[in-house]
Amino acid sequence: MACRISELVLECHDPEALARFWCEVLDFVVLDREEDAVEIGPREGFGGPQPTIILSRNDEPKKEGLRLHIDVNATDRDQDAERERLLAAGARPIDIGQTGEESWHVLADPEGNEFCLLKARLDPL
């Protein structure tokens, strides 16, 4: 028996705003709210094949790069169209030293947390 990732926790300044962004990106919904945290996840709820994301308030300044970042793949359009959708939702391109030859795009969410948009299109779950 092995472990499975059930939740990812992302510290942020504004859990509600980041929840809106990531719900838009991932087609997630808000599953739970606590005083300083918002949990988002698939419409089926906690415990399915996809982990939930807990956006937890932390008023400390963001440190340099994240040691763990999220990779996403489009499910219903090509990479370029998905990149445009993510930019319209509030993502922004960032440079972390990539060469321009990569098959992925490096973006940041509205609070500057890095994530990558990969090239392959996945089937929705």
Side-chain angles (χ1 to χ4, degrees), residues 13-66:
H13 292 290
D14 188 344
E16 290 291 337
L18 228 46
R20 284 190 299 277
F21 173 79
W22 284 107
C23 281
E24 173 71 22
V25 169
L26 300 170
D27 192 31
F28 275 14
V29 296
V30 173
L31 299 174
D32 192 23
R33 281 187 171 87
E34 294 187 9
E35 185 176 333
D36 285 332
V38 178
E39 182 175 15
I40 63 172
R43 296 173 192 285
E44 302 79 38
F46 177 82
Q50 295 186 77
T52 63
I53 300 174
I54 297 173
L55 301 154
S56 177
R57 179 177 305 284
N58 181 336
D59 293 326
E60 296 294 319
K62 178 184 174 289
K63 307 269 191 282
E64 243 176 81
L66 296 176

Side-chain angles (χ1 to χ4, degrees), residues 58-78:
N58 181 336
D59 293 326
E60 296 294 319
K62 178 184 174 289
K63 307 269 191 282
E64 243 176 81
L66 296 176
R67 293 189 78 174
L68 173 73
H69 68 266
I70 296 171
D71 287 344
V72 298
N73 291 76
T75 59
D76 63 351
R77 63 197 75 179
D78 69 21

Side-chain angles (χ1 to χ4, degrees), residues 3-22:
C3 290
R4 188 179 69 158
I5 295 173
S6 60
E7 301 167 333
L8 301 172
V9 178
L10 182 60
E11 294 181 345
C12 59
H13 292 290
D14 188 344
E16 290 291 337
L18 228 46
R20 284 190 299 277
F21 173 79
W22 284 107

